[in-house]
Amino acid sequence: MNHYSQQGPSYGPSYNQPYYPPTTSTLQPERQGFLEQKNLPHAPQSKKSFQPLSAIILLIWVGYIIAMIWLLEKASSASPTSGPPSWSYTRLPIVLLTLFAQAHTAITSMHLARIAISSLSSPRTAPNTWVEVFWMADRAWSGPVGIVVALKDSLFLKAKLSLTFLLFAFTCLVALATPAVLSRAFPIQNIPFITSTSIQPKTFNAAAMQVISGYIQQGTGLGSWGTGLSAYSLLSSSIFIPSDLNFNKYQSSADPTDLFIAGNIGPDANGTLPGLHVQGSCSVVPPGSGVPDATGATSASNLTTLLNPYCSSKFTIGFAGAATIGGVRDITLLIADCATLGFSSLKTEPTFSEGYLLYSYSETGIANSGQGLIHCTSNTTTGTAYLQGANGTFTDFQYSPLFNASTSSNGGEPLTDPLAAAFYGLVDPQQTSGAPMKEAVQRGFGLVAVPTATGQAFDVLTPDIVANRMWSAVAHNLAAIGTLSWRDTVAYNITKPVFYAVHVHASPYREAAYALLGLWAVLLLAITGYGYRRSAASGLDSYAASWLVARQGHDLVVREPLSDPAGNTNLKLQFEARI
């Protein structure tokens, strides 16, 4: 039956026609009794109660937050030293933080909706306008988008928002921000925890050092030096330097002036191991009165004539020699040297050594030439040091007589002091007479071929380069002893870090998170005291809003087309609390 046959078409009322509410005579018989009951002049009184569910859930949630914060503080303060930390300190906090992020704002909104329904019964806490009733029912205060839309529409309708709405909005914004800040307050980091263990690395062995021949030491040292690379660049995992030494680890031709060679203990291990230690340097002697000058020298014997008197004035010569490294790749290199120690000179006690090297070189057909005098000193000894594998440094070196010079090589050629071995090997005709070793010596000094438009040339050999390469020869001869002494038969106690993913404190986020939680608790306590009263429903929702419109605001919408709330100017009328 058409309820609107008196006015308008059969499918409903026309918005261009005046509206006439249906009467009981136009309804189907079975609906007449229902409408007659609804049109009773006095509607039944709503039954009110405290509706405590949201308050109970909120109290449980506060307990959850307290327990979660306690666990996060414990987890971030724990320092496991044996084995991984408990799952309650690693995985459980993540679960709790995830649940907190999902539920914190939702539980806050649920309790505020409960306050909203009871706030309708008091003019002090009720919405100012009818449009605000709809915003409250839609929980526009629970998120940034709803708050912005409500503020915009309130300005358009010139409808002042109530203190209740503003408090609800601010509380929800605080609740929304808290999980993000709290997760930053206790971030997860990989923290190293030191553990002790035992390893058998391939490293220096004092017993193995006793049986090394001086010949193989010298041949190994000279051969590796002939690559033109530093000993450190070839054995960086086994050579350690002082932590306070200013040394560029990435240069390829110079060696540190203080080094300890042991073995590769691993990139993250720390421990005390035995090894070989050398300190010293090589430097250029400035030209001056009495300083030998090799300019114009045509043979190695000329250099010897110039150098030996000078050496005799500085120390007692233990060894002197000369050699011509020429006839290979258009290079002629003349050298003469002298040193305080000679072959088979390594001592049980710390061994100090000193020497001078005079050189002259020329390149056939090219103006590249030069000469200079180099002075070297070294102090070599055995002992133990605390090694740090992560950065390749050592500390706390302690001298220990790990080498017995009287039984070195078991009757063969005893070991040689590294500086003496370097000086002796350069002028030993048994090692430098052949073409292969001549090229190796030239490259060891730094004479490296570079391509040119017409073929090749050699880098200019400056005195500073020769000084760096002579000290590198000392380092290579020490490294030769160290590597030839490598064994993996002895176990050493070391410490190494084990990384665990744990929660840590992070300021200022931790303080900010606690401030937000405290503010959230104060706001909810104040709002609850401000607006919590007995109510007929558990919250202000769409059904409650529909009930209010049907009972008190029928005329606000019955003659208005469907639109956004801002399109109905009737909604800016004052809301009168009557529930």
Side-chain angles (χ1 to χ4, degrees), residues 256-327:
T257 56
D258 188 344
L259 62 90
F260 183 89
I261 181 167
N264 186 356
I265 62 173
D268 56 355
N270 302 315
T272 299
L273 273 75
L276 297 162
H277 180 226
V278 67
Q279 286 179 303
S281 65
C282 292
S283 59
V284 179
V285 179
S289 176
V291 176
D293 189 329
T295 303
T298 58
S299 66
S301 60
N302 294 152
L303 298 186
T304 301
T305 303
L306 293 170
L307 180 62
N308 283 358
Y310 182 79
C311 292
S312 297
S313 67
K314 299 296 182 180
F315 50 71
T316 301
I317 298 176
F319 163 79
T324 300
I325 314 298

Side-chain angles (χ1 to χ4, degrees), residues 126-209:
N128 289 332
T129 60
W130 273 96
V131 70
E132 188 179 341
V133 173
F134 290 106
W135 290 335
M136 296 285 282
D138 291 339
R139 300 190 185 183
W141 37 261
S142 65
V145 175
I147 294 171
V148 170
V149 171
L151 289 173
K152 176 183 70 69
D153 289 350
S154 66
L155 292 175
F156 178 79
L157 293 172
K158 297 181 180 180
K160 182 181 178 181
L161 292 172
S162 66
L163 177 62
T164 301
F165 185 93
L166 296 176
L167 285 174
F168 283 14
F170 183 61
T171 303
C172 284
L173 290 177
V174 170
L176 281 169
T178 303
V181 178
L182 189 61
S183 64
R184 288 177 172 266
F186 297 94
I188 297 176
Q189 290 185 4
N190 287 324
I191 303 297
F193 296 97
I194 305 303
T195 60
S196 298
T197 186
S198 177
I199 61 171
Q200 287 187 217
K202 187 179 285 289
T203 186
F204 171 82
N205 185 288
M209 179 179 173

Side-chain angles (χ1 to χ4, degrees), residues 407-449:
T407 60
S408 177
S409 192
N410 285 340
E413 294 296 337
L415 290 174
T416 303
D417 167 74
L419 188 149
F423 276 58
Y424 185 90
L426 290 176
V427 297
D428 182 5
Q430 297 183 46
Q431 298 198 60
T432 59
S433 59
M437 287 310 299
K438 284 184 177 181
E439 284 210 49
V441 171
Q442 289 180 359
R443 188 176 182 89
F445 268 112
L447 287 167
V448 179

Side-chain angles (χ1 to χ4, degrees), residues 507-519:
S507 295
Y509 294 105
R510 180 179 174 223
E511 291 77 11
Y514 286 159
L516 287 174
L517 285 171
L519 180 59

Side-chain angles (χ1 to χ4, degrees), residues 23-71:
T23 64
T24 55
S25 61
T26 61
L27 292 175
Q28 298 176 5
E30 61 273 17
R31 300 289 294 166
Q32 292 182 11
F34 172 79
L35 189 57
E36 288 171 356
Q37 292 178 7
K38 299 299 286 183
N39 289 334
L40 290 174
H42 299 288
Q45 184 67 32
S46 299
K47 295 180 181 180
K48 296 183 179 182
S49 64
F50 283 105
Q51 303 286 350
L53 180 61
S54 68
I56 294 172
I57 294 176
L58 184 63
L59 289 174
I60 295 174
W61 185 244
V62 170
Y64 174 92
I65 293 174
I66 294 173
M68 178 184 66
I69 293 298
W70 174 84
L71 182 61

Side-chain angles (χ1 to χ4, degrees), residues 112-139 141 159-168 530-531 533 540-541 544-545 548 552 571-579:
L112 292 180
R114 166 62 185 86
I115 304 298
I117 190 67
S118 61
S119 70
L120 299 179
S121 60
S122 172
R124 180 172 58 92
T125 58
N128 289 332
T129 60
W130 273 96
V131 70
E132 188 179 341
V133 173
F134 290 106
W135 290 335
M136 296 285 282
D138 291 339
R139 300 190 185 183
W141 37 261
K160 182 181 178 181
L161 292 172
S162 66
L163 177 62
T164 301
F165 185 93
L166 296 176
L167 285 174
F168 283 14
Y530 171 74
R533 285 177 291 276
L540 180 55
D541 52 21
L548 286 171
Q552 301 179 21
L571 298 182
K572 68 180 181 179
L573 296 176
Q574 182 178 356
F575 173 76
E576 296 180 0
R578 296 196 303 272
I579 64 170

